[in-house]
Amino acid sequence: MRFAGLQKTSLIDYPDRVATVLFTSGCNLRCPYCHNGELVHNYTGPFIEEDEVLETLVERKQYVDSVVVTGGEPTIHAELPVFLARLKENGFNVKLDTNGFNPDTLRDCLLFVDYIAMDVKTSPEKYSELGASSLEPLFESIEVIKTSGVDYEFRCTAVPGFVETETINEIGELVKGAKRFIFQQFRPEKTLDPVYNDVKPHQDEYISKLGEIMDCFVDEVVLKI
Ligand code: SF4
């Protein structure tokens, strides 16, 4: 496996831990508001090879013993479970970020992760605008995660037009009974579709309202606004 980027230290990507973040390239969705356009679309390098990544991680393990694998979309890479197994063999805490559109690879990763963050981005009918051709993989991943025994969160960037009070119940139905749901504020910067650079984010109070509605569906709602 190879990676498009490595951020040595992050205080915000792994709950309650300092972590190194690894970025994979490519994605099976095309969210118009994506901030990682350069990773998602025709990324041609430079790459860092898996062995070099592991060497860097092990060298620094006394300072940072947690790793986040994010993208792009990590699960489009068939080698992902083997790489995560190598992280666990070396004693790291591992968090995986995913959009949930590859449940088979996700299932193969479960033994080798300590935490999963899965995006639940919008109501079912709007997912086609993010590039999804079928919702079955999303539904399956939600169940895989809820029943996995691995700690997890579902998370949602509150993008105007995709996440509104009128449709938040439909998102709630998707994750009903989940332990944790996170709302993140949308930042209109360097978006895949430049139109979204000019979209005004929801006000914080509005996102609080979304959180109150979501509270009826899940055990815990966290607002990162
Ligand atoms: S926001 Fe995430 S799922 Fe959407 S295109 Fe970007 S990397 Fe892919």
Side-chain angles (χ1 to χ4, degrees), residues 27 29-31 33-34 36 40 71-72 99 119 121:
C27 186
L29 293 183
R30 285 289 181 276
C31 308
Y33 52 84
C34 178
N36 288 330
V40 163
N99 62 24
D119 300 331
K121 293 170 177 288

Side-chain angles (χ1 to χ4, degrees), residues 1 44 66 70 82 105 111 119 191 213:
M1 186 153 181
T44 53
S66 301
T70 192
V82 173
T105 301
L111 276 178
D119 300 331
T191 53
I213 302 170

Side-chain angles (χ1 to χ4, degrees), residues 47-152:
F47 288 102
I48 318 168
E49 297 299 329
E50 171 173 333
D51 285 345
E52 191 184 336
V53 164
L54 270 167
E55 199 177 307
T56 303
L57 291 171
V58 169
E59 264 171 21
R60 304 180 69 247
K61 185 164 175 261
Q62 58 182 313
Y63 311 110
V64 183
D65 65 356
S66 301
V67 180
V68 176
V69 182
T70 192
E73 174 50 39
T75 65
I76 66 171
H77 300 277
E79 327 87 276
L80 178 68
V82 173
F83 175 71
L84 298 179
R86 290 186 77 189
L87 291 180
K88 291 309 291 176
E89 277 165 22
N90 282 280
F92 289 98
N93 302 298
V94 178
K95 171 175 176 267
L96 175 65
D97 291 348
T98 180
N99 62 24
F101 275 82
N102 196 338
D104 292 337
T105 301
L106 176 62
R107 212 178 269 108
D108 291 343
C109 293
L110 291 178
L111 276 178
F112 314 117
V113 293
D114 302 283
Y115 196 95
I116 302 169
M118 177 181 150
D119 300 331
V120 179
K121 293 170 177 288
T122 188
S123 58
E125 66 172 25
K126 298 281 282 183
Y127 256 97
S128 60
E129 294 176 37
L130 306 179
S133 51
S134 161
L135 289 177
E136 286 311 312
L138 178 84
F139 300 151
E140 194 176 331
S141 289
I142 289 172
E143 281 316 302
V144 165
I145 289 172
K146 279 164 73 176
T147 56
S148 65
V150 177
D151 199 7
Y152 69 91

Side-chain angles (χ1 to χ4, degrees), residues 33 120-123 126 156-168 171 183 202 206 210:
Y33 52 84
V120 179
K121 293 170 177 288
T122 188
S123 58
K126 298 281 282 183
C156 176
T157 302
V159 184
F162 286 102
V163 184
E164 302 285 344
T165 49
E166 291 80 8
T167 50
I168 198 69
I171 301 176
F183 283 102
H202 285 312
Y206 187 92
L210 296 173

